[in-house]
Amino acid sequence: WFATQVRILAPLVMPALGSAFLIVFILGLREFTIPFVLQSQENMVLPVLVWQYFQSGEPARSAALGALMIAIIAPAIFLLRKQFRGASE
């Protein structure tokens, strides 16, 4: 079953996954410059800090901070979507 799924389903899904990755990459790259503009010595923006950790050879610290950002932002987005969806109905 698994081999059949991989042999049939993977070639059908790969173009869509590639396109989705490309779209997300382009949108992310476009939005990547905004934190650099907002950053200053007094105002350290988290995406810039993640980038600095990664560039300085600390990928574990960078990944941990990125995971923490996702852990905080994802529930907030879920709750806000639920609240606004209920308000519009």
Side-chain angles (χ1 to χ4, degrees):
W1 182 85
F2 183 73
T4 304
Q5 295 297 321
V6 169
R7 195 179 69 225
I8 294 173
L9 193 60
L12 293 173
V13 174
M14 283 310 211
L17 288 177
S19 299
F21 173 77
L22 187 61
I23 290 171
V24 169
F25 179 75
I26 290 170
L27 291 174
L29 193 61
R30 187 176 66 180
E31 297 296 326
F32 188 65
T33 57
I34 293 173
F36 283 104
V37 172
L38 296 175
Q39 186 235 352
S40 68
Q41 289 290 47
E42 298 84 26
N43 184 25
M44 182 57 73
V45 184
L46 282 178
V48 175
L49 191 59
V50 170
W51 181 255
Q52 286 177 352
Y53 283 151
F54 186 75
Q55 288 296 314
S56 66
E58 299 181 75
R61 187 177 274 184
S62 174
L65 188 57
L68 184 64
M69 288 171 49
I70 291 171
I72 291 171
I73 292 171
I77 290 172
F78 177 75
L79 291 173
L80 288 173
R81 281 184 64 192
K82 191 172 184 180
Q83 180 181 2
F84 285 120
R85 187 177 299 154
S88 65
E89 293 177 356

